[in-house]
Amino acid sequence: MTELLYQKDSYLKEFEGEIIEVNREDKTVILDKTAFYPTGGGQKSDTGVLVSGDKNFKVINVKKKGDKVLHYIEEELPTVGMKVIGKINWDNRYKFMRTHTAMHALCGVIWNEYKGVVTGGDMEPLKGRMDFELDNYSFDKAFVEDVEKKVNEEIQRDRAVKVNILPREEAFKIPDLIRTKVNLLPEGITEIRTVEIEGLDLQADGGTHVASTKDIGRIKLVDYKSKGKNNKRIYLEIE
């Protein structure tokens, strides 16, 4: 099992690890621990480099497979047992942290004001989109402008963002922990990671986040679309 360092510390830019498995056909390596975030939850993977002595192994993609994290290497592969220093592409990671937390702030406002559950979402650095199930609301420019105003007000309150890893049974005692229409958490998971924006939002989530909402910056809801009778899409960007 790979120890997932990013789950406890999103600000970890470098880490020491050991190569425990190499797949030469797929050009992937597995480490005993990693701070590289694998693609998931609408968030793209980290990129970066594994360094051993004078050798640099470029990490171009990261995916999770069961309890292992596959690091895709661009050219020459390291060998099993090699000690490496992993270095994250921090500029890209931090943009994703800001974006992911912004989407949680949007989710918190939509849930608290309108009880809208999430039906989908995706993100790129400093922009993203979220789909919500919204019943009996006029989904128009005035609605979206009001939501934008409320989200930015919450962001400027400098709310702390806290991460916890809880036993499954304890986590599911939290009301409304799952904000998606479909529960995407596998049955076999014994521990649930939660992300809380104090006083605004609390949900199960595996992504990386900033420590305070003020670190997000200001958001702009740049577009909106109706994707069906009750399914509404909102696009955001971070200024």
Side-chain angles (χ1 to χ4, degrees), residues 159-217:
R159 295 185 182 276
V161 181
K162 296 183 176 181
V163 171
N164 279 301
I165 298 176
L166 303 172
R168 186 185 185 95
E169 186 176 331
E170 182 180 342
F172 276 98
K173 290 178 182 177
I174 300 172
D176 305 315
L177 180 69
I178 307 301
R179 297 291 176 80
T180 51
K181 187 173 176 63
V182 177
N183 185 352
L184 301 176
L185 293 174
E187 287 293 332
I189 291 180
T190 59
E191 292 184 324
I192 306 295
R193 183 176 183 267
T194 65
V195 175
E196 178 184 11
I197 301 177
E198 282 193 330
L200 177 63
D201 187 66
L202 172 59
Q203 57 180 295
D205 181 82
T208 59
H209 295 269
V210 292
S212 167
T213 57
K214 209 164 187 180
D215 295 336
I216 296 170

Side-chain angles (χ1 to χ4, degrees), residues 4-13 35 93 193 208:
L4 308 179
L5 302 174
Y6 62 83
Q7 285 199 337
K8 296 178 181 178
D9 185 2
S10 294
Y11 285 84
L12 190 62
K13 301 174 187 178
R93 156 68 79 82
R193 183 176 183 267
T208 59

Side-chain angles (χ1 to χ4, degrees), residues 14 49-50 82 92 97 100 110 131 159 173 195 201:
E14 296 186 10
V49 65
L50 301 176
M82 183 178 283
N92 194 62
M97 288 164 60
H100 204 153
I110 293 287
D131 298 345
R159 295 185 182 276
K173 290 178 182 177
V195 175
D201 187 66

Side-chain angles (χ1 to χ4, degrees), residues 44 92-100 123-125:
K44 305 294 190 300
N92 194 62
R93 156 68 79 82
Y94 190 61
K95 287 176 181 176
F96 270 121
M97 288 164 60
R98 293 171 61 201
T99 307
H100 204 153
M123 71 186 89
E124 298 289 342

Side-chain angles (χ1 to χ4, degrees), residues 6-185:
Y6 62 83
Q7 285 199 337
K8 296 178 181 178
D9 185 2
S10 294
Y11 285 84
L12 190 62
K13 301 174 187 178
E14 296 186 10
F15 67 97
E16 295 181 357
E18 180 180 338
I19 306 296
I20 59 174
E21 191 174 320
V22 175
N23 186 317
R24 299 202 172 275
E25 183 177 344
D26 295 337
K27 298 201 74 173
T28 61
V29 301
I30 296 171
L31 290 85
D32 62 336
K33 61 179 73 71
T34 187
F36 283 88
Y37 180 80
T39 296
Q43 180 176 334
K44 305 294 190 300
S45 82
D46 285 319
T47 58
V49 65
L50 301 176
V51 180
S52 180
D54 60 354
K55 291 183 177 291
N56 290 343
F57 305 96
K58 189 174 181 182
V59 179
I60 57 174
N61 194 11
V62 187
K63 296 181 181 179
K64 200 162 187 293
K65 185 177 181 180
D67 58 5
K68 297 179 179 180
V69 178
L70 307 180
H71 302 72
Y72 289 76
I73 307 299
E74 186 174 54
E75 295 177 349
E76 178 188 2
L77 292 169
T79 56
V80 172
M82 183 178 283
K83 307 287 187 181
V84 296
I85 297 173
K87 298 183 178 183
I88 307 296
N89 179 342
W90 177 247
D91 180 67
N92 194 62
R93 156 68 79 82
Y94 190 61
K95 287 176 181 176
F96 270 121
M97 288 164 60
R98 293 171 61 201
T99 307
H100 204 153
T101 311
M103 294 176 77
H104 276 233
L106 172 61
C107 182
V109 167
I110 293 287
W111 175 258
N112 294 333
E113 296 285 334
Y114 313 106
K115 297 303 177 189
V117 296
V118 177
T119 57
D122 196 18
M123 71 186 89
E124 298 289 342
L126 302 183
K127 63 181 180 179
R129 59 95 177 161
M130 292 194 79
D131 298 345
F132 297 95
E133 187 175 81
L134 290 166
D135 300 324
N136 304 318
Y137 293 102
S138 297
F139 189 70
D140 53 19
K141 183 178 180 181
F143 176 92
V144 173
E145 287 178 347
D146 185 56
V147 169
E148 178 184 294
K149 178 175 176 289
K150 289 173 179 175
V151 173
N152 279 314
E153 286 173 350
E154 294 293 349
I155 287 172
Q156 291 308 307
R157 287 192 171 98
D158 201 13
R159 295 185 182 276
V161 181
K162 296 183 176 181
V163 171
N164 279 301
I165 298 176
L166 303 172
R168 186 185 185 95
E169 186 176 331
E170 182 180 342
F172 276 98
K173 290 178 182 177
I174 300 172
D176 305 315
L177 180 69
I178 307 301
R179 297 291 176 80
T180 51
K181 187 173 176 63
V182 177
N183 185 352
L184 301 176
L185 293 174

